[in-house]
Amino acid sequence: MTPSAPPARRFPIAALVLIAAALAADGAVSLWMARTSHHWLPVQASAAAPYVDDLFALETGIGSFIFLGCFAVMLWTLLFNRAPKYDMEDGDPIEGNLKLEITWTIIPLVIVMLIAIHAIRVSNTLATIGPKERVLGGEQALQVAEGATATGAAPAAADYGPIEVIARQWSWEFVYPDGTRSGELHLPVDRRVRFKLISMDVLHGFYVPAFRLKQDLIPGSVIDYSLVPTREGRYRLRDSMFSGGYFSTNQTDVVVESAGTFERWLADAARAPLQESPNAALQLWQARLAKGDKGWATVPPAPPPLVNVIHDPTAPHEG
């Protein structure tokens, strides 16, 4: 006589209710984490910032949901499904579940691909990167950038620029279309500004946290870049790439101001004489030499750039 098959196991209603309640609580906390994540970041000062912050909030919410779910399962197991005291027996020889393995492989793959697709859409919406022109060195990069500035080749009449952004070990220099030079970057608000990014020596990073934008300055390249500042104020520009011993000093300010204030500043700056921009790296290098040039070897800083308007390292800034 053929033995009857064992009855199928069913989840108790109480267990289903508990799982549904746990998933709802996990979702609520994850949604709160996603919304709260906006407050962890500096002020939004560019057109790109809301898109980047929303993408960050999405990733924070998904990450919180997965983390809290895994943590809850482990905590439940430790509290209610652990072995009795003094139980030294081995666990049941349970083999792999192919359906479960396929499921927990496909779900993360789908999540990661959806995040990647959304991130690509955000990048295409920002449209900050333009063409890149290869050059033989820093001097040729300056010639290429100055040639583009002289021709006034701007893709749109409403755009401003291009402004040459020149990075060295360890200083920033900004050259405006009229030839004015400054140690801090001034920009008109609510207007797309185009740049020519140039590195005179090694890899640098053009990073303004309040703008949520970062772009590498690659030696041997002149990179077209653009952004739209949307909030007046003074913000920090940092070198985001390790560029040598004093790269942490390679910081300056970005001043976003109204169109009228920007035009007046530019006119005043054009009449100012050239002077050396303050350079913290040079001060540290001179202090090192005074002590006998001891310690890890490093290259000497490049000479401070000559600019019409110097950077004030004591000025308060946001972000």
Side-chain angles (χ1 to χ4, degrees):
M1 187 173 179
T2 304
S4 59
R9 297 182 61 183
R10 295 182 178 179
F11 262 67
I13 299 298
L16 294 176
V17 172
L18 180 61
I19 292 174
L23 289 175
D26 190 1
V29 175
S30 300
L31 181 61
W32 176 81
M33 288 288 290
R35 292 176 175 175
T36 304
S37 66
H38 286 85
H39 302 291
W40 304 342
L41 305 172
V43 296
Q44 296 181 350
S46 78
Y51 295 98
V52 176
D53 288 2
D54 288 345
L55 178 60
F56 177 72
L58 174 65
E59 295 172 347
T60 299
I62 294 174
S64 299
F65 185 85
I66 296 173
F67 171 79
L68 293 174
C70 294
F71 178 78
V73 171
M74 290 188 292
L75 183 62
W76 179 273
T77 303
L78 288 173
L79 293 178
F80 303 108
N81 292 94
R82 58 184 177 180
K85 192 175 183 180
Y86 304 120
D87 184 359
M88 304 299 292
E89 296 181 0
D90 294 333
D92 295 335
I94 300 174
E95 297 182 1
N97 187 319
L98 182 59
K99 294 181 179 179
L100 182 61
E101 292 178 359
I102 292 176
T103 300
W104 72 39
T105 301
I106 292 179
I107 290 178
L109 175 64
V110 171
I111 292 175
V112 171
M113 292 305 296
L114 290 177
I115 292 176
I117 292 172
H118 183 55
I120 292 172
R121 289 176 179 172
V122 170
S123 179
N124 292 336
T125 300
L126 301 183
T128 56
I129 300 294
K132 179 174 70 172
E133 185 169 350
R134 297 291 297 173
V135 293
L136 297 178
E139 295 302 324
Q140 186 180 2
L142 291 177
Q143 295 174 5
V144 170
E146 289 170 0
T149 303
T151 58
D159 296 349
Y160 179 81
I163 299 175
E164 296 175 31
V165 178
I166 305 171
R168 300 181 178 89
Q169 293 175 300
W170 288 269
S171 64
W172 294 97
E173 181 183 2
F174 309 99
V175 185
Y176 300 83
D178 65 350
T180 301
R181 300 173 179 269
S182 68
E184 61 183 22
L185 179 59
H186 284 244
L187 303 175
V189 71
D190 294 328
R191 188 176 179 185
R192 180 169 290 277
V193 182
R194 300 195 173 272
F195 303 93
K196 295 289 185 180
L197 304 183
I198 302 167
S199 171
M200 298 299 292
D201 36 50
V202 297
L203 190 66
H204 296 277
F206 180 85
Y207 176 46
V208 184
F211 291 171
R212 310 292 195 275
L213 294 173
K214 184 186 84 70
Q215 174 58 39
D216 293 345
L217 285 74
I218 303 172
S221 298
V222 178
I223 302 174
D224 282 342
Y225 195 67
S226 65
L227 57 87
V228 182
T230 57
R231 184 177 185 272
E232 295 183 26
R234 180 179 288 266
Y235 311 103
R236 203 64 168 164
L237 187 157
R238 308 175 189 275
D239 188 349
S240 58
M241 302 297 294
F242 180 75
S243 54
Y246 304 115
F247 91 103
S248 62
T249 66
N250 199 18
Q251 303 184 32
T252 186
D253 288 341
V254 179
V255 182
V256 180
E257 49 205 0
S258 66
T261 303
F262 172 74
E263 293 297 337
R264 288 191 295 272
W265 173 85
L266 195 60
D268 293 339
R271 293 190 293 267
L274 293 176
Q275 55 184 317
E276 285 190 358
S277 185
N279 192 316
L282 184 60
Q283 298 174 5
L284 292 173
W285 172 256
Q286 292 172 344
R288 174 192 175 106
L289 294 180
K291 296 179 181 179
D293 195 12
K294 300 177 181 179
W296 294 102
T298 183
V299 299
L306 295 176
V307 296
N308 301 96
V309 178
I310 64 174
H311 163 235
D312 182 5
T314 64
H317 61 271
E318 302 178 76

